[in-house]
Amino acid sequence: LLAFPDEASRCRQREAQALVLQGVIASHVQAGLNVVCMGDFNDWDLQVPDVKSSRPISRALSFLKDVIPEKEEDEAVTYELVNVAQNVAQSTRFTAYYNPDSSVCLAARDASSSIDHVLLSNGLQRVAKVTSFDNGVFKPPCATQLHFSDHWPVVVTLRA
């Protein structure tokens, strides 16, 4: 979704993108399918705080995680997706390095937050065996000549 989770001017656009995805998710749930929704959502999860306890200013991730009809007679498909980040310690919940002051190289934990997410339908959450934030796989971009990415992988293993 649209970048910069701390810029209010981008909230509505990110929320609109999330609502489009919400419709796709709902159609898959309605078809009886399990759902994995993952990626760089450029937003924080209010219910599953990251290492810095970042608080979202948009509702984009909330829109992706669930649809609950406003009234009982509404025909909207109800679903809930679970953020696998809840399975790991908050102290390791960081997936992206962001330090606007490039003159200082901060430790990964001090300049990172969790904006990359793996959301699973309840059926898949029950078989999620291992979840980890592999934030030791490479150093922050400022600490090395080898710049792979400013995002670390989120690893989820599902058992059969």
Side-chain angles (χ1 to χ4, degrees):
L1 303 180
L2 190 63
F4 305 114
D6 54 352
E7 287 188 19
S9 64
R10 293 173 165 245
C11 284
R12 288 194 192 273
Q13 291 170 297
R14 196 166 41 257
E15 288 175 348
Q17 291 171 323
L19 286 171
V20 170
L21 284 172
Q22 185 185 66
V24 173
I25 294 166
S27 69
H28 284 77
V29 169
Q30 190 170 29
L33 301 172
N34 280 311
V35 175
V36 177
C37 185
M38 62 185 177
D40 179 355
F41 295 119
N42 284 304
D43 217 341
W44 300 297
D45 191 330
L46 184 61
Q47 286 80 35
V48 185
D50 64 16
V51 68
K52 292 171 34 179
S53 295
S54 304
R55 300 193 49 87
I57 59 173
S58 86
R59 299 170 295 165
L61 205 60
S62 295
F63 290 160
L64 293 174
K65 287 174 63 176
D66 60 46
V67 169
I68 299 171
E70 291 183 24
K71 294 177 256 155
E72 196 170 305
E73 64 271 10
D74 285 352
E75 294 184 23
V77 175
T78 301
Y79 75 82
E80 180 181 9
L81 299 183
V82 178
N83 191 337
V84 299
Q86 73 181 19
N87 299 335
V88 300
Q90 184 178 359
S91 62
T92 65
R93 288 184 201 147
F94 57 95
T95 65
Y97 184 87
Y98 177 67
N99 179 13
D101 182 1
S102 60
S103 68
V104 178
C105 186
L106 298 173
R109 185 181 312 277
D110 298 331
S112 298
S113 66
S114 188
I115 58 174
D116 305 281
H117 302 280
V118 178
L119 309 175
L120 302 177
S121 56
N122 287 324
L124 291 176
Q125 173 62 18
R126 286 191 286 276
V127 297
K129 183 173 139 188
V130 177
T131 301
S132 65
F133 285 34
D134 199 357
N135 41 36
V137 73
F138 58 85
K139 294 179 182 183
C142 63
T144 179
Q145 296 290 344
L146 301 172
H147 178 70
F148 296 109
S149 176
D150 58 349
H151 293 255
W152 289 278
V154 177
V155 179
V156 180
T157 302
L158 305 175
R159 70 175 184 273

